[in-house]
Amino acid sequence: MSNCIFCKIINRQLPAVTVFEDDKVMAFMDIYPLRRGHVLLIPKLHQQQMHHLPAEYREHLVNTASRVAQALYACSLKPAAVHYMVNDGPAAQQTVPHVHMHVLPRYPGDSINFLARLLRKPFDLAMGPENSLMLETLAADIRQELEKS
Ligand code: 5GP
Ligand code: ZN
C-alpha cells in the first residue's frame, strides 16, 4: 500500500535497521524502543490484522519472532523475558495499519522504567528516534545470533 510506512520500509523507500529478511517477513529495530533490543516483525504483504493474513505468512511471522527472541536471549543483551505483542487493530492501540509483531525484551527489575517508557510513548515523535548507531550496534549483535539458528 503506497502510503503505509511499513510497506515503504519493505520497498526500501524508508530506511530501517534490519536484523532478518526473507521472501515473507522482515525484522527490524523499533526506532522508538520501549526497551533495549525492541524488534518489530512485519509480513511482506500489506494486511492490517492477523486474521487477514494467509496462514503461511502468519505462521512464518510467529516462527521468525520466536527465532528473534532466541537470538535476543543469546546475544549480549541477556533479557530475563520477552513480550510477543500484536496490537491488532486501531482500538487495540495499533498505530501502523500493517500487521506487526513486537518482540520486546524485559530486564530484571525494569518494571518502573518500562511503565515510565510506556507513558512517554505518545510523546515519541517530539522526543525523536533512538540513535541509529546504537540501533546498528544492537542489530549486529542480534543478526550474528540469528545467523547461527
Ligand atoms: P503499534 O503501536 O502500532 O503496535 O507499534 C508501532 C511501532 O512502530 C511503534 O513501536 C513505533 O515505535 C514503531 N515505528 C513507528 N514508525 C517507525 C519507523 O519509521 N521505523 C521503525 N523502525 N519503527 C517505527
Ligand atoms: Zn503496509
Side-chain angles (χ1 to χ4, degrees):
M1 214 173 102
S2 60
N3 63 349
C4 167
I5 59 169
F6 287 170
C7 285
K8 285 184 177 167
I9 285 176
I10 293 167
N11 296 326
R12 307 294 195 271
Q13 293 165 278
L14 282 177
V17 179
T18 305
V19 295
F20 179 81
E21 181 173 10
D22 64 16
D23 59 326
K24 290 194 182 61
V25 73
M26 193 165 172
F28 52 94
M29 306 308 291
D30 195 306
I31 48 167
Y32 304 108
L34 289 173
R35 309 302 305 140
R36 268 165 80 81
H38 184 170
V39 175
L40 294 175
L41 292 99
I42 57 176
K44 286 189 168 178
L45 194 65
H46 182 88
Q47 291 293 349
Q48 181 159 8
Q49 291 184 283
M50 285 289 261
H51 64 282
H52 295 144
L53 284 176
E56 67 203 280
Y57 277 82
R58 195 168 44 241
E59 284 162 18
H60 193 57
L61 186 78
V62 173
N63 289 338
T64 310
S66 164
R67 281 185 63 205
V68 167
Q70 267 182 279
L72 286 166
Y73 285 121
C75 81
S76 62
L77 289 169
K78 302 277 176 289
V82 302
H83 296 277
Y84 293 95
M85 202 166 67
V86 177
N87 296 327
D88 203 34
Q93 278 72 52
Q94 184 186 36
T95 58
V96 181
H98 179 132
V99 172
H100 49 281
M101 179 170 281
H102 300 254
V103 179
L104 174 54
R106 294 297 304 272
Y107 300 96
D110 75 345
S111 293
I112 301 272
N113 286 340
F114 179 57
L115 284 176
R117 186 63 194 83
L118 265 183
L119 291 174
R120 209 186 81 193
K121 187 80 182 161
F123 307 103
D124 271 349
L125 280 180
M127 306 285 286
E130 178 61 278
N131 177 293
S132 60
L133 191 60
M134 164 71 80
L135 291 182
E136 269 299 349
T137 306
L138 290 172
D141 200 356
I142 298 166
R143 232 181 270 130
Q144 197 176 15
E145 293 304 328
L146 275 167
E147 279 161 15
K148 296 181 195 166
S149 68

